[in-house]
Amino acid sequence: MHFVNTGKFRVNANGNRVDVWLIYQCEKCKHSLNLTVYERVRPSRISGEEYRLFLENDETLAVKYGNDKEFLKRNRVEFGK
């Protein structure tokens, strides 16, 4: 499967914690894969500006995370040859 960055985020609030994922999608079957940006963090740990950009599905921010090798490594992304 070859997944591509959709440029969209999923934000979920549960009580006083927030989860944020960057959504990838398989080019062929359209199956989605969520890569964790933040997991069960207090909203105060995320800058107001970045949180707004997550909610707006800011493409520039999605590209930034999608090109961040540490972010991809944390999410155990395997790169094809």
Side-chain angles (χ1 to χ4, degrees):
M1 289 189 197
H2 183 256
F3 288 86
V4 294
N5 186 340
T6 65
K8 297 189 184 304
F9 294 95
R10 177 170 179 229
V11 180
N12 184 48
N14 185 0
N16 62 352
R17 303 290 180 169
V18 173
D19 296 314
V20 179
W21 299 276
L22 178 58
I23 303 170
Y24 276 72
Q25 189 174 56
C26 176
E27 284 185 313
K28 290 184 180 181
C29 71
K30 304 303 181 196
H31 177 78
S32 64
L33 175 68
N34 295 338
L35 300 185
T36 302
V37 179
Y38 289 105
E39 186 172 41
R40 299 189 191 332
V41 299
R42 294 190 182 279
S44 61
R45 291 196 51 214
I46 304 172
S47 79
E49 176 65 13
E50 186 175 45
Y51 189 74
R52 181 184 64 77
L53 294 173
F54 289 141
L55 294 175
E56 293 177 357
N57 289 313
D58 183 78
E59 287 189 41
T60 302
L61 186 60
V63 169
K64 175 185 166 197
Y65 275 99
N67 290 322
D68 183 328
K69 290 182 182 181
E70 287 303 313
F71 167 74
L72 296 171
K73 186 177 176 181
R74 275 195 318 270
N75 280 278
R76 298 185 195 123
V77 171
E78 293 181 20
F79 296 93
K81 294 180 180 182

